[in-house]
Amino acid sequence: MPQTDDDLLAFDTGDLEDWDEQRARAALGGRHGALYRNHLRIALQLDSWAEAEGRRTDVDAHYKAGYTQALQDMAALLRQTYYLPRGPH
């Protein structure tokens, strides 16, 4: 079943440093809307990957924490429209 834009934007924004819902919705309705939807789907996969990585017991705790943080950071950047052409930065 296809995800709606609201489904794709249904994530916790509390830890996002530069979250702007108006910018996100404008991106969804703009020239690069399909690309941004793809980024949001990738971010969902990164969330799942980070969650699974956090449950691992076969790696060093510091490595696991850093790896998980990197996955979460990438998801955050994708969600904040940073990788769209002419993104905020």
Side-chain angles (χ1 to χ4, degrees):
M1 176 179 209
Q3 295 167 306
T4 67
D5 290 348
D6 288 336
D7 292 338
L8 293 171
L9 292 176
F11 51 84
D12 181 10
T13 61
D15 291 334
L16 300 180
E17 293 180 18
D18 188 29
W19 175 248
D20 181 334
E21 185 169 349
Q22 287 181 324
R23 183 177 69 224
R25 294 218 177 255
L28 287 168
R31 178 176 174 196
H32 301 291
L35 178 60
Y36 185 46
R37 283 178 187 85
N38 183 290
H39 288 182
L40 293 172
R41 288 182 187 102
I42 292 169
L44 286 169
Q45 290 297 324
L46 290 171
D47 286 345
S48 295
W49 190 359
E51 186 178 316
E53 195 64 31
R55 292 189 303 265
R56 286 183 65 181
T57 59
D58 62 329
V59 294
D60 176 75
H62 292 291
Y63 170 84
K64 179 173 63 172
Y67 193 61
T68 300
Q69 185 65 53
L71 292 168
Q72 292 167 338
D73 289 349
M74 181 58 71
L77 293 171
L78 287 164
R79 286 181 168 128
Q80 293 173 111
T81 72
Y82 282 29
Y83 295 114
L84 292 177
R86 297 183 186 177
H89 303 289

